[in-house]
Amino acid sequence: MEMRIDPSSPWMNEELGAFRDAVRRFVAGEITPHQEAWREQQHVDRDLWTKAGEMGLLLADIPDEYGGAGGSFAHMAVVFEELSYAGDTSFGIHVHAIVAHYLLNQGTEEQKQKYLPRLASGEMIAAIAMSEPGAGSDLKGIRTTAVRGGDGYRVSGSKTFISNGFMADLILVVAKTDPAAGSKGVSLLLLETKDNPGFRVGRILEKVGQKGQDTCELFFDDAHVPLANVLGGEEGKGFAQLMTELPYERTILGVCGVAAIERALQLTVDHTRERKAFGQALIEMQNTRFVLAEIKTEATIARIFIDRCIEDMLAGRMDTVRASMAKYWISDLQCKVVDQCVQLFGGYGYMLEYPIAQMYVDARVQRIYGGANEIMKEIIARSL
């Protein structure tokens, strides 16, 4: 399906248009044909990461001095949109890019030089380990500890729902370096998984949707992290670092959500034009037309909003409250729209061979990860 995108987004330009064409070709050749195989094995193939690295897609908005492609957030927005337009939820590039931004904005110069080029090339795959069996959106409730010794930290505890967990070479672990200090006792540690005997990956979790994305339990039993691998070189900064970087993640989720809404609308318009009932095309029936008119309006509102968010990201003025609005409102709308579209497909909408059914099971988690939508509303409410 060729997405017929409204090209009027104010942040788009000729250079980004050429980049979009290249990304779309890459997705069509290297990602779309493998979706079924990846869903069966529950992770993408390792060589996808190196191919995407060669294309400059993994860290498109990281400066070239650190191995990135030297672009802007607009370049990453194009990548995320194209993955959504293609219906991909297997390739964990989102989490990978988020970790890179923690490094770029919060890391020491030594940490940036050491890890960013390897993340840009796909030599290393990154994950971030926040959620625990007893602590999801409530990060103050985490129990994983990091005890400092002469040769580094010994990390103990467990994490769950970790995207890229199965394949990750570098994990940004949220841990308590001073359990008595509350939120000031939280640090972010850069843990390398290779030849780290105290680190173990549990099973790949069986999810409702997004089955091609490896999501795992992780176990730490005195896993080693060198002293130099505290993000930013100083303990106790973890909570502040998380609060600073979360808007990037939440804006990405908004970008993906709007693209998914646009895709669902187009799939459904195409289907209702072709499908006949009671002697006429479904799109000729008033109920179908009115539902699609509502979706088209809401999709347009969402597009204008996310375009403004992208412009705010580019200008460096995107704040936590606006990002929380984008994350909660767009993901709620995505689930609502996809559900309405499934209804217009009738029985076919419940068959997984139809992309709209796959979108239905893949969409639901958007309201949960990246901070549950209830937490987003709490953040917005505090700004009143």
Side-chain angles (χ1 to χ4, degrees), residues 97-118:
I98 289 161
V99 173
H101 276 262
Y102 275 93
L103 275 160
L104 179 69
N105 299 327
Q106 310 290 339
T108 64
E109 187 60 30
E110 186 187 1
Q111 289 166 351
K112 288 187 255 198
Q113 297 281 2
K114 182 176 182 182
Y115 291 117
L116 284 173
R118 294 158 83 186

Side-chain angles (χ1 to χ4, degrees), residues 22-255:
V23 175
R24 188 169 293 187
R25 283 195 301 272
F26 179 84
V27 172
E30 301 293 346
I31 292 179
T32 301
H34 307 292
Q35 289 294 335
E36 202 167 319
W38 291 341
R39 282 196 283 267
E40 281 182 25
Q41 69 187 24
Q42 295 183 293
H43 60 85
V44 301
D45 296 325
R46 183 94 202 187
D47 68 349
L48 173 62
W49 287 92
T50 46
K51 285 175 184 172
E54 285 165 15
M55 275 279 292
L57 304 186
L58 294 179
L59 303 188
D61 59 349
I62 297 287
D64 50 18
E65 67 191 274
Y66 299 119
S72 67
F73 182 76
H75 291 83
M76 286 311 286
V78 165
V79 173
F80 298 134
E81 283 183 349
E82 288 303 318
L83 289 169
S84 278
Y85 291 148
D88 171 71
T89 55
S90 300
F91 190 18
I93 185 175
H94 313 73
V95 177
H96 188 82
I98 289 161
V99 173
H101 276 262
Y102 275 93
L103 275 160
L104 179 69
N105 299 327
Q106 310 290 339
T108 64
E109 187 60 30
E110 186 187 1
Q111 289 166 351
K112 288 187 255 198
Q113 297 281 2
K114 182 176 182 182
Y115 291 117
L116 284 173
R118 294 158 83 186
L119 295 179
S121 69
E123 178 196 334
M124 291 188 105
I125 298 169
I128 183 163
M130 293 191 213
S131 296
E132 297 184 3
S137 295
D138 174 21
L139 292 174
K140 285 178 185 166
I142 64 159
R143 299 173 71 169
T144 298
T145 58
V147 179
R148 185 174 179 147
D151 65 338
Y153 294 89
R154 296 290 165 186
V155 180
S156 296
S158 64
K159 299 286 183 180
T160 194
F161 313 135
I162 307 306
S163 301
N164 292 353
F166 180 71
M167 302 183 80
D169 307 287
L170 183 69
I171 301 177
L172 190 63
V173 181
V174 183
K176 287 194 169 167
T177 40
D178 184 355
S183 61
K184 290 193 165 56
V186 174
S187 302
L188 304 186
L189 305 174
L190 293 156
L191 179 144
E192 292 191 40
T193 62
K194 193 177 180 191
D195 302 326
N196 197 336
F199 169 76
R200 183 167 64 85
V201 179
R203 64 198 172 97
I204 298 181
L205 300 166
E206 187 68 41
K207 303 190 297 293
V208 171
Q210 301 201 3
K211 290 178 182 287
Q213 158 66 228
D214 58 308
T215 306
C216 292
E217 298 171 311
L218 305 178
F219 299 97
F220 308 92
D221 184 14
D222 284 343
H224 180 254
V225 173
L227 291 175
N229 278 29
V230 181
L231 188 70
E234 198 180 331
E235 284 183 21
K237 292 282 183 71
F239 214 75
Q241 290 166 336
L242 287 164
M243 294 306 105
T244 306
E245 297 305 318
L246 282 168
Y248 182 84
E249 175 177 2
R250 288 164 183 167
T251 306
I252 287 171
L253 294 175
V255 170

